[in-house]
């Protein structure tokens, strides 16, 4: 309730202070997709507060998800903004839309994001020799399998997740069974999270798949490991690694494919937003550790994207004030 009152007070403060009529006229009404995962919810609400308080935009938050949001933007030009678009799933049509001028990518919104294989910090402190995945694969003895301690345990994705196939095929590509490893199926997302929490609490070693940005990475300070080898190419990845085992007879060892995430805006919004708003989106890049810490706050406090946006803007003024003009920064701080 207190946070709702603070937000209401911020709205009132913005009204009392007055918003630049010129900025409002230029920016107009803006629709922002709020995707159905935590980091995107935070992003959408930070954008809403900054655009409305700092630049006088009339901002509407609309529900979103990768495919329906992209399809709507591509075909109808709405919503105006998708703050966190994971573009691997829409890479080809997005490039076509950009080439034809319908859509634009304006920033990579979060540093250090992606999928991969991770270690807990206490393991890296105790074993500084483990610098890459290749180093880890030589030491199955450090990561005993929960059902067979004579083998190393690699925690993979739950059954039914797409990443389960990629992990299983990389397990074969790296000949991990020969090296003394077995896969650990966590059973569910909750099971995967619990295995990390348990290992962290007991200062036990844990090695497995995860992704960022997430609250788990923030809470337990997980470290994504360099694979120690290069990415082996799209043909190997797209036509083998992500396929079922029967469709991937000869997987090649490879680093994880790069996760590409962009902020995408409509052409109409780009034309009417004005240079200051366009500059904001170009500069609005969250440091990965700050994003993960804020997501941890969301999880621990059961906070909404709006709550988390207030938390971020209040605690990290040194970051977001570099994204906006000095005039906008004054208005946003007064509103908060």
């Amino acid at each position: 309730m207190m946070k709702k009152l603070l937000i209401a007070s911020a709205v009132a403060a913005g009204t009392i202070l007055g918003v630049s009529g010129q900025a409002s006229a230029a920016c107009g009404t803006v629709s922002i997709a709020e995707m159905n995962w935590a980091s995107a919810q935070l992003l959408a609400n930070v954008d809403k507060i900054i655009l409305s308080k700092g630049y006088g935009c009339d901002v509407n938050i609309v529900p979103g998800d990768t495919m329906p949001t992209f399809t709507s933007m591509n075909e109808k030009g709405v919503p105006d903004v998708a703050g966190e678009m994971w573009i691997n799933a829409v890479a080809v049509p997005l490039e076509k839309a950009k080439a034809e001028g319908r859509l634009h990518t304006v920033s990579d919104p979060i540093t250090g994001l992606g999928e991969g294989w991770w270690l807990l910090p206490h393991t890296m402190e105790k074993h500084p020799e483990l610098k890459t995945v290749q180093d880890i694969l030589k030491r199955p003895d450090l990561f005993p399998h929960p059902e067979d301690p004579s083998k190393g345990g690699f925690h993979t994705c739950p059954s039914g997740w797409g990443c389960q196939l990629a992990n299983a095929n990389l397990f074969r590509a790296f000949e991990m069974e020969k090296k003394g490893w077995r896969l650990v199926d966590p059973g569910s997302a909750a099971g995967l999270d619990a295995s990390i929490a348990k290992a962290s609490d007991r200062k036990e070693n844990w090695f497995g798949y995860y992704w960022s940005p997430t609250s788990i990475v923030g809470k337990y300070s997980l470290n994504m490991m360099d694979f120690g080898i290069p990415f082996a190419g799209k043909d190997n990845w797209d036509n083998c690694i992500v396929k079922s085992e029967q469709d991937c007879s000869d997987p090649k060892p490879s680093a994880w494919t790069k996760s590409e995430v962009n902020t995408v805006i409509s052409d109409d919004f780009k034309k009417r937003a004005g240079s200051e708003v366009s500059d904001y989106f170009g500069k609005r890049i969250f440091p990965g550790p700050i994003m993960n810490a804020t997501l941890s706050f969301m999880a621990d406090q059961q906070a909404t994207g709006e709550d988390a946006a207030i938390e971020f803007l209040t605690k990290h003024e040194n970051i977001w004030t570099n994204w906006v003009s000095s005039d906008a920064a004054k208005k946003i701080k007064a509103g908060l």
Side-chain angles (χ1 to χ4, degrees):
M1 179 61 72
M2 180 59 69
K3 286 178 180 173
K4 290 182 179 178
L5 289 172
L6 286 171
I7 292 166
S9 298
V11 173
T15 302
I16 293 168
L17 287 167
V19 180
S20 167
Q22 184 178 0
S24 180
C27 191
T29 300
V30 183
S31 54
I32 298 177
E34 184 179 32
M35 308 295 197
N36 59 359
W37 58 89
S39 56
Q41 291 164 0
L42 168 63
L43 254 172
N45 281 277
V46 167
D47 287 345
K48 178 180 179 180
I49 293 170
I50 286 179
L51 292 183
S52 60
K53 298 284 180 287
Y55 297 105
C57 306
D58 180 14
V59 181
N60 295 320
I61 295 283
V62 298
D65 203 350
T66 301
M67 293 309 298
T69 295
F70 173 77
T71 300
S72 180
M73 292 182 76
N74 191 29
E75 295 179 356
K76 302 175 184 177
V78 292
D80 295 305
V81 180
E84 188 184 328
M85 180 70 73
W86 289 67
I87 67 171
N88 286 358
V90 296
V92 173
L94 176 59
E95 284 304 310
K96 184 170 187 258
K98 288 168 64 177
E100 295 174 358
R102 293 190 304 280
L103 299 175
H104 306 274
T105 54
V106 289
S107 73
D108 301 331
I110 309 165
T111 66
L113 51 71
E115 302 169 83
W117 293 2
W118 304 69
L119 291 183
L120 285 161
H122 63 256
T123 299
M124 298 189 71
E125 290 169 9
K126 189 174 181 179
H127 298 281
E129 72 278 9
L130 301 180
K131 300 183 185 304
T132 70
V133 166
Q134 302 309 303
D135 298 329
I136 297 167
L137 297 186
K138 298 173 185 176
R139 297 299 309 272
D141 57 298
L142 296 177
F143 305 89
H145 193 286
E147 296 175 2
D148 182 0
S150 70
K151 302 291 184 182
F154 173 81
H155 295 259
T156 185
C157 294
S159 299
W161 289 21
C163 50
Q164 184 195 32
L165 299 176
N167 282 309
N169 286 323
L170 287 175
F171 186 90
R172 291 192 297 124
F174 288 123
E175 298 185 325
M176 288 174 66
E177 186 173 0
K178 288 183 181 179
K179 295 171 182 174
W181 293 85
R182 283 180 57 189
L183 291 169
V184 181
D185 184 346
S188 65
L192 183 60
D193 292 353
S195 71
I196 296 169
K198 178 182 176 183
S200 179
D201 291 343
R202 297 183 179 183
K203 292 293 186 282
E204 297 172 347
N205 296 330
W206 182 97
F207 176 46
Y209 168 89
Y210 216 79
W211 67 99
S212 179
T214 52
S215 61
I216 290 292
V217 169
K219 184 173 184 177
Y220 297 106
S221 301
L222 285 167
N223 293 275
M224 184 160 59
M225 304 304 296
D226 187 317
F227 272 79
I229 61 170
F231 177 60
K234 284 182 63 62
D235 181 63
N236 175 60
W237 192 271
D238 295 343
N239 297 312
C240 190
I241 297 297
V242 298
K243 302 284 188 179
S244 61
E245 183 174 343
Q246 57 264 34
D247 294 325
C248 182
S249 60
D250 186 25
K252 302 293 190 296
S254 176
W256 202 276
T257 188
K258 181 182 178 183
S259 297
E260 295 192 47
V261 181
N262 291 154
T263 293
V264 179
I265 64 172
S266 69
D267 187 57
D268 176 65
F269 178 64
K270 181 181 180 181
K271 289 175 179 175
R272 62 183 161 81
S275 61
E276 285 194 345
V277 172
S278 295
D279 286 347
Y280 160 67
F281 277 111
K283 296 176 180 177
R284 192 264 280 116
I285 301 172
F286 279 75
I290 299 297
M291 171 61 80
N292 286 319
T294 309
L295 297 182
S296 181
F297 162 82
M298 286 182 73
D300 290 345
Q301 302 297 322
Q302 297 185 324
T304 65
E306 192 172 41
D307 294 334
I310 295 291
E311 174 79 1
F312 167 77
L313 292 167
T314 302
K315 281 193 171 181
H316 300 290
E317 182 180 305
N318 62 312
I319 294 173
W320 64 262
T321 50
N322 293 312
W323 303 341
V324 301
S325 67
S326 57
D327 182 55
K330 290 176 185 177
K331 294 173 182 175
I332 295 162
K333 284 189 277 188
L336 293 172

